[in-house]
Amino acid sequence: MFLYFLPETAGQPPTLSLFLDALHRHHAPLPSGRYTFEHRLLRSTLPAPTSAPPSAPTTSSAPSGLSAPSSTTLQLLEIPHLSRHPLLHTSNTTAAVDREFTAFLRAKLGGLWTHKQTLRCEGQGFEIEGADLRVRVGRLVMGETVRGTVVEVEMGGVERMGEAEGVLRGFLEGVVGGEGETLGGKGRWVLGEAEGEGGVWGVLDTGRQYCELLRPR
């Protein structure tokens, strides 16, 4: 699975329209359902941690050590086509959590984390006729501001990124590479390695990719 982001450019047509036009010119996409997600970024309100002496005791009554965050940011991703549970990402872990936990986070740990931004994506999924590929394309917005277009490309029947990387990259380059200055060279790839056992790509790997794409820079 690959992610690709096309930022908006002032004075240029919307990237979502440009990409969909190119997709239909190069392939025969068949609509396969709605594509949507919401990403929330929180920052720690605590001062940056300092190293404690080795013998110093540490205690925590909150799950996952969130009462004393080692990460300065926490990302929450709700993405229905990928997981029925929200995904939580910090600097060193990605995990699926239930909605009771997100309620606990707001109610009990709200003073330790402050909300910084919410990004939302609305779009459409497609099946590519003649290929075992699924493409999801959506407009990314923050408030009323359009930030760009998110493209997800997934290949069926593979478990490891290395088995699909060449096909997925070739597919996307075939769509955007022939569009000159309107799309070619504008986008940003998000790649990664599976962290699961045996290098098998899983839901949490995809969630981590999304959080890498959506984190502020």
Side-chain angles (χ1 to χ4, degrees):
M1 198 281 295
F2 267 21
L3 291 178
Y4 192 67
F5 179 67
L6 286 161
E8 295 298 313
T9 301
Q12 296 293 323
T15 54
L16 180 61
S17 298
L18 291 172
F19 184 88
L20 289 175
D21 288 347
L23 182 65
H24 282 82
R25 278 198 302 275
H26 292 278
H27 298 279
L30 304 174
S32 62
R34 187 180 178 213
Y35 169 53
T36 181
F37 66 78
E38 179 180 276
H39 174 268
R40 282 170 285 160
L41 174 72
L42 296 87
R43 287 194 184 278
S44 171
T45 61
L46 298 180
T50 57
S51 299
S55 59
T58 58
T59 60
S60 174
S61 58
S64 303
L66 290 176
S67 63
S70 59
S71 173
T72 59
T73 63
L74 185 152
Q75 299 177 64
L76 286 171
L77 176 67
E78 297 198 44
I79 185 164
H81 79 271
L82 183 63
S83 171
R84 63 190 180 93
H85 297 291
L87 301 179
L88 181 148
H89 178 76
T90 66
S91 60
N92 55 10
T93 189
T94 305
V97 297
D98 58 30
R99 298 192 183 279
E100 287 75 14
F101 175 80
T102 60
F104 171 85
L105 179 64
R106 296 189 188 98
K108 302 297 184 182
L109 301 179
L112 301 178
W113 299 93
T114 181
H115 176 265
K116 298 301 293 185
Q117 71 177 33
T118 297
L119 297 167
R120 294 182 175 88
C121 184
E122 292 280 348
Q124 177 72 51
F126 299 93
E127 303 278 346
I128 301 302
E129 190 172 8
D132 194 6
L133 293 176
R134 289 172 288 278
V135 182
R136 299 175 180 93
V137 188
R139 177 178 288 115
L140 186 69
V141 300
M142 184 169 65
E144 300 298 319
T145 303
V146 178
R147 303 291 299 273
T149 297
V150 176
V151 181
E152 177 194 305
V153 186
E154 179 185 7
M155 184 176 180
V158 297
E159 293 184 332
R160 293 170 175 81
M161 177 64 76
E163 299 173 6
E165 181 175 347
V167 174
L168 298 178
R169 185 186 290 275
F171 171 82
L172 272 175
E173 288 178 344
V175 174
V176 303
E179 300 303 309
E181 294 301 319
T182 58
L183 287 179
K186 288 183 60 175
R188 174 162 57 87
W189 302 90
V190 179
L191 309 174
E193 296 295 331
E195 293 188 352
E197 184 177 352
V200 175
W201 193 265
V203 167
L204 298 183
D205 296 305
T206 301
R208 190 177 66 255
Q209 268 193 313
Y210 267 95
C211 290
E212 171 62 22
L213 173 73
L214 299 168
R215 68 176 177 83
R217 283 167 170 76

